[in-house]
Amino acid sequence: QVQLVESGGGLVQPGGSLRLSCAASGTIRNIAAMGWYRQAPEKERELVSVITVGGSTNYADSVKGRFTISRDNAKSTVYLQMNSLKPEDTAVYYCGADLRYSSTSSFRGDLWGQGTQVTVSS
C-alpha cells in the first residue's frame, strides 16, 4: 500500500512563499495522480491542485497564478510551490493520491497523508 507524508508547512508572512513536499512510498506504479487538498476551520474542503502521471495539471481558481504543482524526476515526490501567500491560504494542506486511474477533472483522493499546517499571518 502507498503511504504519503507531507512536509514543508509553517508560518509565513503575507506575500511570502512556501514549498510543500509529499513523499510517496510503497508501490509507486499504482499512483495515477497526486494532488493537494486544504482544509481550514469552518470552511469547505478545497481541492487546490492535481498532477497526473502524464503531467497534466489543474488548479483551483483561488490559487491559479500563485501556486505550482510538480513532480521530481523519480516520480516519488510531489511538490506544491506556493508564492504570494495570503491569509486566506491558511489551512491544513493534505496530499492525496489516486490509484490505478485518474484525471485532473476527476481526482478522488483515494489515499490521504497526515497533513501539514500552513499559516499566513503578519
Side-chain angles (χ1 to χ4, degrees):
Q1 183 75 336
V2 175
Q3 298 182 14
L4 308 175
V5 180
E6 302 97 332
S7 63
L11 175 64
V12 65
Q13 294 183 343
S17 298
L18 286 173
R19 187 174 73 161
L20 306 184
S21 299
C22 176
S25 62
T27 308
I28 304 301
R29 71 179 70 179
N30 288 343
I31 298 177
M34 298 182 71
W36 293 91
Y37 293 91
R38 64 185 181 186
Q39 180 70 65
E42 301 181 352
K43 294 183 179 179
E44 297 290 328
R45 184 187 66 179
E46 181 180 25
L47 180 60
V48 176
S49 185
V50 173
I51 185 166
T52 69
V53 68
S56 298
T57 60
N58 197 12
Y59 298 92
D61 288 341
S62 57
V63 307
K64 196 170 300 181
R66 300 187 297 119
F67 291 10
T68 303
I69 192 169
S70 63
R71 292 177 176 267
D72 69 4
N73 292 333
K75 305 296 191 296
S76 61
T77 303
V78 66
Y79 305 96
L80 186 68
Q81 178 66 47
M82 306 185 296
N83 299 325
S84 302
L85 283 163
K86 305 174 181 179
E88 51 263 44
D89 295 318
T90 296
V92 178
Y93 284 70
Y94 297 93
C95 178
D98 278 359
L99 306 182
R100 296 184 295 278
Y101 67 94
S102 187
S103 73
T104 57
S105 61
S106 61
F107 187 76
R108 304 181 302 279
D110 294 333
L111 300 174
W112 291 61
Q114 287 289 105
T116 185
Q117 176 71 49
V118 172
T119 302
V120 185
S121 176
S122 60

